[in-house]
């Protein structure tokens, strides 16, 4: 690995810290920002903790970087009040802000790459159909854990459901979130298999 490639994860980490600071400046709702930015922080801390023991490819670090930027951007405005999708909602007469669907697609899409590398390069699962199934199920489990975490936060702190979870009045919002995570994981596994394999093997 070249010196430039070795430095990339550290450069991305520095950019993430900068993005986190920007996201924290005058967010739409401070409490919502704290709740929605925490997964991004935990995400990064996990990879920092694993770095001396297990290093992912730069492809994965770049995908995670983009995912974290998406999370921090969403946290700054809250998923329900994303300005880009608010304008789209007005233009196309949508009944809700669909930024959260993009976020949950990414919640399945990016972790699929992490799970694939961890299982394969750690020699936990061999290549094949079983690996594909385990990756997708792992992404679904992660999505479900996220939804349960949101629910627990609302119950423990007696908060507004929409403020934290961004349901926007949709009683099936959590189910849609998991469906979009499933779609994201499937696109990563089947649509980006060859591209990702070039970085692994």
């Amino acid at each position: 690995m070249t010196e430039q490639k070795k430095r990339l994860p550290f450069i991305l980490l520095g950019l993430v810290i900068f993005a986190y600071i920007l996201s924290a400046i005058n967010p739409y709702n401070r409490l919502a920002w704290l709740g929605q930015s925490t997964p991004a922080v935990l995400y990064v801390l996990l990879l920092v903790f694993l770095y001396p023991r297990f290093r992912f490819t730069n492809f994965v670090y770049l995908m995670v970087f983009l995912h974290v930027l998406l999370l921090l951007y969403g946290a700054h405005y809250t998923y329900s009040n994303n300005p880009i999708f608010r304008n789209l909602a007005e233009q196309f007469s949508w009944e809700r802000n669909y930024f959260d669907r993009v976020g949950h697609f990414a919640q399945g899409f990016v972790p699929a790459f992490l799970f694939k590398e961890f299982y394969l390069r750690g020699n936990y699962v061999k290549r094949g159909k079983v690996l594909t199934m385990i990756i997708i199920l792992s992404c679904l489990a992660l999505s479900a854990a996220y939804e349960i975490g949101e629910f627990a936060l609302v119950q423990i702190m007696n908060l507004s459901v929409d403020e934290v979870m961004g349901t926007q009045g949709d009683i099936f919002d959590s189910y849609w979130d998991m469906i979009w995570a499933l779609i994201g994981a499937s696109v990563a596994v089947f649509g980006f298999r060859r591209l990702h394999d070039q970085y692994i093997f």
Side-chain angles (χ1 to χ4, degrees):
M1 182 182 291
T2 65
E3 196 63 31
Q4 186 176 4
K5 289 183 178 180
K6 288 181 180 179
R7 288 200 301 265
L8 182 62
F10 298 97
I11 294 171
L12 295 178
L13 178 60
L15 292 174
V16 161
I17 293 171
F18 179 68
Y20 180 81
I21 294 171
L22 289 180
S23 176
I25 299 173
N26 297 322
Y28 181 86
N29 180 303
R30 178 62 64 182
L31 185 61
W33 172 83
L34 182 62
Q36 294 178 351
S37 65
T38 297
V41 174
L42 295 176
Y43 206 171
V44 174
L45 288 177
L46 175 63
L47 292 185
V48 170
F49 174 78
L50 287 175
Y51 189 80
R53 303 163 182 79
F54 186 95
R55 297 184 185 182
F56 293 93
T57 62
N58 281 349
F59 173 81
V60 161
Y61 287 126
L62 181 60
M63 296 303 294
V64 170
F65 170 70
L66 296 175
H67 190 192
V68 169
L69 290 186
L70 184 70
L71 291 171
L72 293 175
Y73 175 71
H76 181 80
Y77 292 104
T78 76
Y79 285 11
S80 303
N81 296 285
N82 178 269
I84 296 175
F85 278 81
R86 183 174 63 239
N87 294 335
L88 288 173
E90 293 172 358
Q91 184 176 351
F92 294 103
S93 300
W94 294 340
E95 296 181 357
R96 72 190 316 276
N97 191 310
Y98 281 105
F99 177 79
D100 64 325
R101 302 295 193 237
V102 176
H104 286 281
F105 174 91
Q107 189 184 67
F109 182 75
V110 178
F113 298 122
L114 279 91
F115 283 126
K116 180 178 178 179
E117 287 196 14
F118 184 75
Y119 293 141
L120 267 180
R121 294 176 53 223
N123 294 317
Y124 298 110
V125 186
K126 294 181 180 179
R127 296 180 70 181
K129 294 179 180 178
V130 172
L131 173 65
T132 299
M133 180 182 68
I134 290 175
I135 292 170
I136 291 176
L137 290 177
S138 296
C139 291
L140 274 175
L142 179 65
S143 179
Y146 182 85
E147 297 300 323
I148 292 170
E150 282 188 328
F151 173 76
L153 184 64
V154 167
Q155 295 300 313
I156 293 170
M157 299 187 67
N158 195 27
L159 300 172
S160 165
V161 173
D162 192 57
E163 186 177 72
V164 177
M165 300 180 69
T167 59
Q168 301 181 67
D170 185 357
I171 61 173
F172 297 111
D173 184 69
S174 293
Y175 301 103
W176 278 114
D177 290 347
M178 288 184 280
I179 288 171
W180 277 103
L182 172 62
I183 293 171
S186 299
V187 170
V189 168
F190 296 109
F192 287 76
R193 175 184 292 161
R194 290 184 179 179
L195 175 63
H196 190 199
D197 284 351
Q198 291 176 10
Y199 291 88
I200 299 176
F201 303 106

